[in-house]
Amino acid sequence: MTAQPAQTISVLGAGVLGLWQALMLARAGHRVSLFEQTPEPFVHSASLYAGVMLAPEREAETAEPLIRELGHEGVADWRALYPDLISAGSLVVAAVRDRAELEHFARRTQGHQALDAKAIESIEPDLAGRFPAALYFPDEAHMPAPAALSFLLAKVRRAGVEVMFGYQFEPQHAGLIVDCRGLAARDMLPDLRGVRGERLIISTPEIALRRPVQLLHPRHPLYVVPWGAGRYMIGATVIETEDDGPVTVRSALELMGAAYALHPAFGEAQILDMGAGVRPAFPDNIPRAIVRANERRIFVNGAYRHGFLLAPVLARAVAGYLEDGTVREPILTLD
Ligand SMILES: Cc1cc2nc3c(=O)[nH]c(=O)nc-3n(C[C@H](O)[C@H](O)[C@H](O)COP(=O)(O)OP(=O)(O)OC[C@H]3O[C@@H](n4cnc5c(N)ncnc54)[C@H](O)[C@@H]3O)c2cc1C
């Protein structure tokens, strides 16, 4: 596969990775079609279950340093594209008995400010008196997944991409394939695995948070993300299984317990939805594009917990490879 100025490209899968690929490749001048197997947008996409937090600093607590570095690029790309991105930073809090956890989190991350109770109250008045200390990450951002995905899809269409839902793809008509099928690509990427993430959507007029708040918890990174109009996403479990069945009682209790510990007013909230998505992941949990030149196929997959954060970065890596052959390792590799 040689670098060419304009190619005919079939992108498979309209999750967040496929949408960003289609958009950036069309903007680079390629003739792009986007094929999604489901008749309706996003109904079988892990992307629909995301928070969505763009949290390169907080993710660095458990992720490779590369995720932080690339994540800042991803945040900048989203800021440039999406006017409704909410750039209000994020907070990390811990119960008084878990104060040591907060200190540990602070040591493992950068780009935060330590807040005392008064400072917490000044930026999140509804958390007044609830926590003695917090970490504030001012450069992080968030957005509701359904609105962001619909926005991206509209952008893709406006960029001239032919978009086909409910389409049985026929490779002989494809040109170059950019394969963003998520976990379904395991038929060709055997080391891909699924990591279940459960989340709730709740609604309450009783409390108004402005930014995502993460409550440190021994088992899961539990957080509450304000989606506007009194709605909150509460997420998310991280479970090594590919089961995409309904939320379990244990997980629902943990998620609701986190929200209630953050503020008892969440006890009166209505539960609008509960659901589980399965994140596609490689063994090292680092998303990447894999070029299989002899098959004229580029896989973009393994987004794990970073699909929204890194989708633009992966799209730029693929566009750069097609432009002049640049191999941006480790997020683009030749197979
Ligand atoms: C609860 C939860 C919370 C999360 N929170 C965040 C967050 O805050 N920030 C963040 O960055 N990430 C977050 N993530 C991770 C993020 O959602 C994933 O990394 C991302 O959605 C993966 O996107 P994808 O496009 O690879 O896969 P998907 O969204 O699953 O898309 C794959 C698409 O391919 C389609 N497809 C399958 N087979 C075919 C075929 N043969 N032909 C055509 N189409 C096909 C599928 O129907 C699907 O629409 C979260 C995930 C979960 C589950």
Side-chain angles (χ1 to χ4, degrees):
M1 194 159 52
T2 52
Q4 293 168 21
Q7 303 206 37
T8 298
I9 299 177
S10 299
V11 177
L12 309 189
V16 71
L17 294 195
L19 290 167
W20 265 100
Q21 292 288 329
L23 180 62
M24 229 174 246
L25 293 172
R27 286 181 165 183
H30 300 289
R31 294 173 296 279
V32 182
S33 303
L34 173 61
F35 299 91
E36 165 56 50
Q37 68 172 2
T38 62
E40 297 292 322
F42 319 129
V43 290
H44 200 58
S45 305
S47 304
L48 190 64
Y49 295 92
V52 177
M53 299 179 298
L54 302 181
E57 298 294 352
R58 279 181 297 133
E59 286 297 303
E61 199 241 342
T62 51
E64 295 292 321
L66 177 76
I67 301 297
R68 171 177 185 269
E69 196 183 299
L70 299 176
H72 284 288
E73 282 182 41
V75 177
D77 286 322
W78 274 104
R79 283 208 175 104
L81 183 80
Y82 187 34
D84 291 343
L85 184 72
I86 303 159
S87 293
S90 61
L91 275 183
V92 176
V93 297
V96 176
R97 66 175 182 278
D98 294 332
R99 184 75 189 252
E101 295 291 322
L102 195 66
E103 285 158 13
H104 180 70
F105 196 97
R107 280 195 299 275
R108 293 182 58 85
T109 53
Q110 302 172 41
H112 51 70
Q113 300 163 14
L115 303 188
D116 60 14
K118 206 165 158 221
I120 297 171
E121 181 179 352
S122 73
I123 64 166
E124 287 293 359
D126 282 357
L127 293 184
R130 298 210 50 75
F131 299 96
L135 298 174
Y136 174 46
F137 293 81
D139 296 332
E140 298 193 337
H142 72 281
M143 55 193 158
L149 290 167
S150 298
F151 173 88
L152 264 183
L153 178 58
K155 276 274 182 204
V156 164
R157 288 194 158 113
R158 276 205 294 281
V161 175
E162 183 187 22
V163 182
M164 278 167 278
F165 284 95
Y167 196 87
Q168 285 303 313
F169 178 71
E170 297 188 29
Q172 61 268 31
H173 304 308
L176 171 67
I177 297 172
V178 176
D179 185 331
C180 306
R181 289 178 294 142
L183 205 54
R186 208 173 25 186
D187 56 353
M188 301 178 80
L189 296 173
D191 61 352
L192 207 56
R193 75 184 200 286
V195 181
R196 175 179 167 93
E198 295 151 296
R199 64 98 176 96
L200 314 181
I201 311 290
I202 62 171
S203 172
T204 174
E206 299 297 323
I207 175 165
L209 297 179
R210 297 170 183 171
R211 52 187 56 78
V213 183
Q214 179 172 342
L215 178 68
L216 294 183
H217 180 276
R219 290 206 318 134
H220 301 292
L222 297 180
Y223 49 79
V224 171
V225 186
W227 275 15
R231 287 177 313 143
Y232 293 87
M233 182 274 202
I234 310 175
T237 56
V238 182
I239 303 174
E240 290 287 338
T241 169
E242 292 176 8
D243 178 359
D244 65 354
V247 174
T248 63
V249 170
R250 175 198 295 273
S251 295
L253 286 171
E254 282 179 339
L255 293 169
M256 290 189 248
Y260 190 71
L262 204 57
H263 201 295
F266 281 121
E268 303 304 320
Q270 296 178 336
I271 299 171
L272 304 181
D273 188 42
M274 298 195 195
V278 181
R279 313 168 180 94
F282 291 122
D284 60 4
N285 294 333
I286 294 181
R288 60 175 63 95
I290 301 169
V291 180
R292 234 177 243 175
N294 57 351
E295 295 173 17
R296 291 196 51 75
R297 189 179 284 250
I298 301 176
F299 297 94
V300 188
N301 215 315
Y304 186 50
R305 287 170 49 185
H306 318 302
F308 280 79
L309 185 64
L310 296 189
V313 184
L314 289 162
R316 206 148 7 81
V318 170
Y321 173 74
L322 295 179
E323 169 88 18
D324 57 15
T326 302
V327 176
R328 190 175 177 190
E329 287 184 337
I331 57 154
L332 187 142
T333 58
L334 307 182
D335 197 9

